[in-house]
Amino acid sequence: MSGVQRIVIGAGLIGATVLSGGSGGVGLAAYLSSSVAASTAFNIGLSLALGGVAETLAGRPKTPPTVVSGNVRGSSETHLIVLGERRVGGKLVSLGTAGNNNRDLYIGLAHSVTHAGGCEGLTGFWFDDTYVPLANLGSLTGSTDVSFGDLAGQVNLAFYRGTDTQLADAASVAAGVDSSTDYRRRICWTRALLRMSSDDEVFNAAFPGGIPTLNAVLRGWRCYDPRLDTTAGGSGSQRANNPLTWTWTRNPALCASTYWIVPRLDGGCGRAIDTVDWASVAAAANVCDELISTPAGMQPRFRCDLVLDTRDKRRENLQKILDTMGGRAPRIGRIRKFYAAAYRNPTATIDATWLRGPVVCTPLQPIDNLSNTIRARFPDETNGFKDTDTPPFAIASAVTADGEPIDTQVSFDGVVRPYGAQYLTQIILKRARRQEQIELPCNWRGLDVEEQETVTLDIPELGSPAVYRVIAWRWRDGLPYLVLRADAASDYTPETFSVPPPPVTVTTGASTPIGIPQALTAAGISGAVLLNWRSPAGTIVADPLIPVYLIERTYEDENTWVELARVTGFSFTDSSVTASDTFSYRIRAVNQRGQAGTPSNIATAGALQAGGPIATSVQNPGFESGNAGWVFSAGWDVIQRTLTGGGRFGVSVNPARTGLWSARHTGPASTALNAGFVAVSAGQRVTAQAWFYRDDAGVSASGFVRLNWYDATGAALSSVNGPTVLGAIPGGGASFISRWTASTVSLAVAPVNAAFARVEISAAGNIRADDVSLTVSSIASLDDVPDSASFARVNAAELTSGVPKLSIAGARTLPPRNVPAVRHAGIGSLWTGPLNISSTFDAANPANVTLSASAATLNAGGFSSSFAASSVSVTQPRGTTQTWRLYYEGAQVLGGGTFALIASTSEADLVGGANRAFVGRITVTVPATGSGTGAGGTPGGGGGGVIP
């Protein structure tokens, strides 16, 4: 097992195997036959079944076990590849024994073959049915023991990502059971050191069944993302030909395209990078990342968490990845394109002029062959990745039409989220019910479309124009032949999800306590109360030991708790309240026995009237609970205010803005991060604020507030800093309250993929902080939109002589907008790019004037839309000056795209319709003779239309 030799890997969820022999040290067979082993060793019985290797791991039998010497190897050995995050075992290889009386057993557990970029890491480890989270696995460098229950001190792990630069395991080399050249590069593996205690009670508590079945919860391959590559039209430093720049992901489109280009020797398809249409990969990846609403909060549409077997055919493995997004990867010439299950607008209209022969129309299948109810089996991450069935999903109208439920079941190897599995079953069944298929023999016009493109079919003999997807493109008789399947946007719209019941399978150890959910917050929102919390480990990552959380509620002034809901995830919206109600909430973690643990902290809130702000309390915002609810870096502590002397306040020794406590910072710059996560959605506006007070006017000090954004997995996305509070803060004195100064991030826009926000304070020198807050606002009017590079704060909207005008910050009045004061869209908007408006005219009389607008982006509220360049031709009499108002018009106009530019001399036309976006205005002077170019125009704003 030296050099780059591949370690044998077994099935991920079936278990792990132990092979005798090793690279240095005492072999396992010799170890088992020693006098020590006869009384106190790990005992292993070996058996062969069905031509494969299947070891039965037993406890300490009263009679010596059968001893099999030599390595057991053969055709049953297989390599695995892990994509996303999965519980996976691997082939266990005994490296040897060492220590006092050879009581330390070194085992290698190979998880996945990799490419040069390696796998990402572990999030936890399973020992039989006991799960140990990452926080209890030590540093995974071999120098720190597992610290968890009865395993504490009995197990030591070291993890290797499988990169091209990894070294041999230092502990194994030092123990003499491994060689310094056993790098095992491009193999992601774990070295486990199991210690055999001389105390039988300690040994049996740690290993009640002998050597445990070892499984890792592994984050697998790092993958290439063209959206993060400047050479592929993205923004970032990733490069397709350099796996060291790739990052870990669960995005199916990125997993599939990476699998396509990874060399065959590393388990991939080995195809050239230029055989991939990376624009289609980026588009599919964006579809996968889009958020849908589930009972567990906002979740990405599709995720890939898959274990592949390298002995399977590569095209089958590729299809398994594509299945996790309901996708396809058609080949167009030598180029492979990648698509996720989503509705795409038609790009062409096929009519009778495309045809060269009769159309073949295939109707619906017989009822006996068509299901109306579906369920899926999937490895549930909330149930230890055990195979679980989704609740059945039925199309009610189809059940009525068919007269009875007709059930079918599918399997998802790479979908581990309960609601992700439900969403895919919904798509599959709705698509399956659309059985109408049309085959079109086409002339050369058939070259204008390709497989997976969406088209409008407008052939009168087939009925009204309808939308179809090209599911096959073939050559027949030397010309294109298309196969179409009916398609509709509703096929991909999420239906109602079913909250799964808590699993009854016991997978927790008897001595493992049920953790307490952390950091519960309750926030009033429009007509509801929003709850957010964290796992007992303090994270927002699913814990396999906690399949469901139990939410309990009581009136604020009562203590009678009733069950409100059971959910997976870390967010819940209680819509059963009114604005006059105030409730208290608490959360219990429910284990896989169905037992509920100790309640969390209690959070209280009431619903708000529609349009009001969402005042979200930061955990321990004023430090009145002392050092609680915060993660402090060096230099911070929390201290109580004390007063001496007379007067209204006396002399404050440790000033606090409110209450008796504040956070104090001394020394070099460092931060304090609040532990409370607050749920947000992309486009929502969040305000963060912290108050600072400088201790010593003669010593430099500063502080500012920072707002942090996180995605649904808890991974940091970006941050926004408030203004730095500097030396203007005076120190000392009795009236200290007036001397606190705020640093504020005002109405920051939550970015794409944002699911959570939390607040942080940064300080340098001797300074104090207090009253930290975080507020999520529901945009109720244009007044809520602040000034920035892309947005303008609106102070007033009015009609002046029938013309709408907006007054913005800085006492400026903008040119007329198509946003009526009495009917605006609730957003402000500005053009960026920049938008250029120009004009030209010829020598005719009247002059033919061409008005042009460049390509630009319309920024409005939480979205931005790109518009293509456009122009319009008008006529203008000679010797006149005319102001032209320009706008785009069309359904969903604010979604962007290509629109005809429309020009009018009447400002009233700007607000004459509900689907118009104002581009700007330009004044054109046409002289008595000649041609020329007019002056540039003034860009306008958008709005007044239907928000997409």
Side-chain angles (χ1 to χ4, degrees):
M1 278 189 12
S2 60
V4 295
Q5 178 180 352
R6 297 291 197 261
I7 301 179
V8 182
I9 302 175
L13 294 179
I14 297 175
T17 60
V18 177
L19 303 183
S20 61
S23 193
V26 179
L28 183 58
Y31 171 62
L32 287 175
S33 62
S34 67
S35 59
V36 176
S39 59
T40 59
F42 300 99
N43 294 303
I44 306 172
L46 302 180
S47 62
L48 301 179
L50 300 178
V53 180
E55 285 80 354
T56 303
L57 305 180
R60 297 185 176 188
K62 295 182 179 180
T63 58
T66 301
V67 175
V68 178
S69 62
N71 257 340
V72 182
R73 305 176 68 89
S75 60
S76 65
E77 299 168 359
T78 177
H79 296 287
L80 301 183
I81 295 173
V82 178
L83 297 168
E85 181 174 313
R86 278 294 295 268
R87 176 179 174 180
V88 62
K91 188 70 73 174
L92 280 177
V93 179
S94 170
L95 300 177
T97 60
N100 185 24
N101 291 325
N102 288 329
R103 285 196 173 101
D104 294 342
L105 175 61
Y106 288 80
I107 294 175
L109 174 61
H111 307 302
S112 174
V113 297
T114 75
H115 51 68
C119 291
E120 179 69 9
L122 298 182
T123 61
F125 218 86
W126 287 85
F127 298 86
D128 288 331
D129 289 332
T130 299
Y131 176 71
V132 181
L134 180 61
N136 298 109
L137 295 179
S139 63
L140 290 180
T141 62
S143 60
T144 305
D145 291 341
V146 171
S147 58
F148 189 87
D150 295 325
L151 293 170
Q154 304 305 302
V155 179
N156 183 287
L157 297 179
F159 173 75
Y160 295 90
R161 294 179 41 235
T163 65
D164 270 355
T165 58
Q166 74 185 19
L167 301 177
D169 177 61
S172 300
V173 173
V177 299
D178 218 354
S179 167
S180 60
T181 59
D182 283 335
Y183 306 135
R184 303 179 182 93
R185 290 169 180 168
R186 304 212 183 180
I187 290 292
C188 174
W189 71 292
T190 297
R191 190 269 298 138
L193 165 58
L194 308 182
R195 297 189 177 100
M196 182 197 65
S197 174
S198 59
D199 186 327
D200 282 1
E201 185 176 347
V202 173
F203 176 89
N204 288 322
F207 310 110
I211 295 179
T213 301
L214 304 178
N215 285 173
V217 182
L218 175 68
R219 289 187 167 183
W221 276 12
R222 293 184 172 186
C223 297
Y224 169 63
D225 188 345
R227 301 172 301 177
L228 301 177
D229 184 349
T230 53
T231 67
S235 176
S237 59
Q238 289 201 26
R239 297 294 183 266
N241 60 357
N242 185 2
L244 297 179
T245 66
W246 301 353
T247 54
W248 176 78
T249 183
R250 302 170 80 175
N251 188 299
L254 304 181
C255 292
S257 56
T258 298
Y259 181 74
W260 181 253
I261 65 173
V262 163
R264 293 175 67 90
L265 288 177
D266 295 326
C269 296
R271 302 306 176 92
I273 293 172
D274 63 1
T275 64
V276 177
D277 180 81
W278 293 109
S280 71
V281 173
N286 288 337
V287 170
C288 295
D289 285 340
E290 289 175 358
L291 299 179
I292 59 175
S293 179
T294 75
M298 302 300 290
Q299 292 187 351
R301 285 185 184 271
F302 305 113
R303 281 292 178 259
C304 174
D305 298 280
L306 183 62
V307 180
L308 299 176
D309 193 323
T310 57
R311 67 181 172 185
D312 292 338
K313 294 180 179 178
R314 287 174 172 81
R315 65 174 180 271
E316 295 174 356
N317 281 339
L318 177 63
Q319 189 57 54
K320 290 177 182 178
I321 306 173
L322 295 171
D323 287 345
T324 65
M325 61 177 179
R328 294 292 182 268
R331 191 183 70 179
I332 313 299
R334 67 181 293 269
I335 303 299
R336 183 77 59 172
K337 292 191 173 184
F338 291 80
Y339 295 95
Y343 181 75
R344 293 182 287 276
N345 291 325
T347 56
T349 298
I350 297 178
D351 57 25
T353 64
W354 290 53
L355 302 180
R356 61 178 173 88
V359 174
V360 177
C361 183
T362 304
L364 290 173
Q365 297 181 12
I367 290 179
D368 291 344
N369 298 331
L370 201 60
S371 301
N372 53 42
T373 304
I374 190 173
R375 71 185 74 227
R377 174 152 291 188
F378 68 103
D380 188 353
E381 67 178 358
T382 69
N383 189 20
F385 297 93
K386 295 182 181 297
D387 283 345
T388 307
D389 288 340
T390 63
F393 169 71
I395 298 178
S397 59
V399 174
T400 301
D402 295 342
E404 62 178 348
I406 303 174
D407 200 3
T408 190
Q409 181 163 335
V410 295
S411 296
F412 300 139
D413 293 335
V415 181
V416 300
R417 301 173 304 146
Y419 298 121
Q422 289 189 42
Y423 178 52
L424 265 177
T425 59
Q426 294 170 9
I427 294 175
I428 289 173
L429 184 58
K430 287 188 287 187
R431 297 293 300 128
R433 294 293 298 191
R434 291 189 184 278
Q435 287 292 311
E436 184 181 7
Q437 183 169 296
I438 295 178
E439 300 180 27
L440 301 177
C442 294
N443 52 37
W444 290 114
R445 298 195 67 180
L447 294 174
D448 291 341
V449 297
E450 59 189 36
E451 188 175 342
Q452 290 302 306
E453 196 169 343
T454 305
V455 300
T456 299
L457 189 61
D458 187 7
I459 299 177
E461 290 81 1
L462 298 178
S464 301
V467 176
Y468 287 81
R469 178 163 299 184
V470 180
I471 62 171
W473 194 107
R474 308 186 184 102
W475 281 103
R476 182 174 294 180
D477 300 327
L479 288 169
Y481 192 90
L482 307 182
V483 181
L484 310 181
R485 176 75 62 84
D487 201 24
S490 58
D491 292 349
Y492 311 96
T493 302
E495 305 293 340
T496 302
F497 292 100
S498 300
V499 177
V504 297
T505 305
V506 178
T507 60
T508 55
S511 61
T512 303
I514 303 173
I516 302 174
Q518 302 294 309
L520 171 65
T521 62
I525 61 177
S526 179
V529 173
L530 175 65
L531 303 179
N532 291 284
W533 62 93
R534 295 168 67 82
S535 72
T539 69
I540 50 174
V541 178
D543 186 338
L545 294 184
I546 303 174
V548 70
Y549 288 93
L550 168 63
I551 302 173
E552 296 179 326
R553 185 182 75 178
T554 185
Y555 278 105
E556 181 184 18
D557 55 353
E558 297 181 0
N559 196 33
T560 303
W561 295 91
V562 297
E563 179 177 333
L564 179 63
R566 294 183 180 228
V567 300
T568 61
F570 304 95
S571 180
F572 177 76
T573 299
D574 181 8
S575 302
S576 63
V577 296
T578 64
S580 59
D581 293 330
T582 300
F583 286 99
S584 292
Y585 300 84
R586 67 187 189 187
I587 309 290
R588 296 174 184 263
V590 179
N591 67 12
Q592 291 162 325
R593 292 189 177 110
Q595 300 167 323
T598 302
S600 68
N601 62 293
I602 296 174
T604 301
L608 299 182
Q609 297 287 354
I614 306 171
T616 304
S617 296
V618 171
Q619 187 175 350
N620 190 18
F623 303 99
E624 296 306 300
S625 299
N627 188 2
W630 289 83
V631 180
F632 287 119
S633 300
W636 287 93
D637 65 350
V638 177
I639 192 166
Q640 186 175 10
R641 172 169 65 91
T642 60
L643 298 177
T644 61
R648 181 181 179 188
F649 294 104
V651 177
S652 175
V653 179
N654 300 303
R657 183 171 181 270
T658 57
L660 297 175
W661 295 80
S662 64
R664 178 178 62 182
H665 179 270
T666 57
S670 62
T671 60
L673 185 63
N674 192 265
F677 276 74
V678 175
V680 298
S681 298
Q684 278 190 305
R685 296 188 174 272
V686 180
T687 295
Q689 186 176 75
W691 292 81
F692 292 93
Y693 177 91
R694 184 173 169 185
D695 274 353
D696 188 342
V699 179
S700 176
S702 62
F704 62 87
V705 69
R706 177 181 291 122
L707 178 60
N708 297 289
W709 306 111
Y710 302 85
D711 66 14
T713 69
L717 293 174
S718 58
S719 61
V720 184
N721 291 347
T724 300
V725 176
L726 297 170
I729 309 173
S735 57
F736 60 83
I737 289 181
S738 63
R739 297 176 179 177
W740 287 81
T741 304
S743 173
T744 305
V745 175
S746 180
L747 293 167
V749 181
V752 175
N753 296 333
F756 299 96
R758 66 172 172 174
V759 68
E760 182 178 10
I761 50 179
S762 180
N766 298 345
I767 198 169
R768 299 179 190 276
D770 203 355
D771 289 354
V772 184
S773 62
L774 187 151
T775 303
V776 182
S777 296
S778 65
I779 302 299
S781 72
L782 292 173
D783 297 342
D784 289 333
V785 182
D787 291 316
S788 69
S790 302
F791 304 93
R793 183 182 180 88
V794 178
N795 292 331
E798 59 184 343
L799 287 173
T800 303
S801 300
V803 177
K805 292 181 180 295
L806 303 178
S807 298
I808 67 171
R812 293 180 292 150
T813 299
L814 295 181
R817 293 312 205 241
N818 63 328
V819 184
V822 295
R823 180 179 60 85
H824 59 69
I827 54 174
S829 54
L830 285 181
W831 289 95
T832 61
L835 170 63
N836 296 312
I837 303 173
S838 60
S839 66
T840 60
F841 55 87
D842 62 12
N845 187 11
N848 297 302
V849 181
T850 300
L851 307 175
S852 301
S854 66
T857 299
L858 180 64
N859 298 281
F863 73 90
S864 60
S865 300
S866 297
F867 288 76
S870 187
S871 62
V872 60
S873 296
V874 297
T875 59
Q876 184 173 326
R878 285 287 170 180
T880 63
T881 298
Q882 183 65 264
T883 298
W884 296 94
R885 280 81 178 178
L886 307 176
Y887 60 92
Y888 295 130
E889 181 173 32
Q892 304 291 312
V893 65
L894 293 188
T898 301
F899 290 89
L901 193 63
I902 302 174
S904 173
T905 58
S906 171
E907 292 189 67
D909 284 349
L910 300 180
V911 293
N915 298 301
R916 296 180 180 178
F918 177 46
V919 177
R921 63 180 178 174
I922 184 170
T923 299
V924 180
T925 298
V926 177
T929 60
S931 60
T933 301
T938 302
V946 178
I947 304 301

